[in-house]
Amino acid sequence: MTVNKTRATSLSASDFVNSIENGRRREDARTLLSFFQDVTSYQPVMWGASIVGYGRYHYVYASGREGDFLATGFSPRKSALSLYIMPGYADFGDILGRLGKHRLGKSCLYINKLDDVDMDVLADLVRAGLKDLASRWMVYPH
């Protein structure tokens, strides 16, 4: 059975964010650290070395593969902020249309800087993503 490479760790999310060298990225990550906690009411947990997650879910696929993964969160990558809202954005075109400048990946949203987006709309998107996820899998605080 395959095991997820990205797993929850005991690393400190605050320490991780404070260690970000790029000043702009560090400030945006500090904002996201409290933003996600306010929107989700979950405490931040590091997943791997560079993803800050909020909540988790346990999945079981028809193939038998199962595991745990973060419910939502972010990673301050060098090229952009990656925001994870599972399982994807296919149903959220109306919200994304109001968000501001962004790019989409399979299950993440890429933002160059937080000034490019409307934070209230982003909060709506996080809530919608969690609601969609909870309709498929049970979401736990951690």
Side-chain angles (χ1 to χ4, degrees), residues 35-68:
F35 168 83
F36 272 94
Q37 189 169 349
D38 291 345
V39 171
T40 66
S41 298
Y42 300 147
Q43 294 297 312
V45 172
M46 290 300 298
W47 285 76
S50 62
I51 300 174
V52 181
Y54 296 81
R56 69 171 175 83
Y57 67 101
H58 184 80
Y59 60 86
V60 181
Y61 295 142
S63 66
R65 180 183 168 132
E66 64 180 282
D68 293 302

Side-chain angles (χ1 to χ4, degrees), residues 69-122:
F69 204 66
L70 61 121
T72 191
F74 71 94
S75 183
R77 308 279 185 201
K78 286 186 180 187
S79 60
L81 297 164
S82 297
L83 281 67
Y84 301 93
I85 302 172
M86 305 302 183
Y89 298 98
D91 301 322
F92 305 124
D94 57 326
I95 300 173
L96 289 167
R98 298 182 287 120
L99 181 61
K101 187 176 175 184
H102 67 277
R103 293 182 322 279
L104 291 178
K106 189 170 186 174
S107 62
C108 40
L109 176 76
Y110 300 105
I111 299 171
N112 289 331
K113 58 187 183 299
L114 290 182
D115 290 342
D116 289 342
V117 298
D118 182 317
M119 295 301 286
D120 291 331
V121 175
L122 184 58

Side-chain angles (χ1 to χ4, degrees), residues 56-62 65 86-87 130-140:
R56 69 171 175 83
Y57 67 101
H58 184 80
Y59 60 86
V60 181
Y61 295 142
R65 180 183 168 132
M86 305 302 183
L130 283 173
K131 183 177 179 182
D132 183 53
L133 179 63
S135 74
R136 294 163 174 42
W137 311 106
M138 176 70 85
V139 176
Y140 301 94

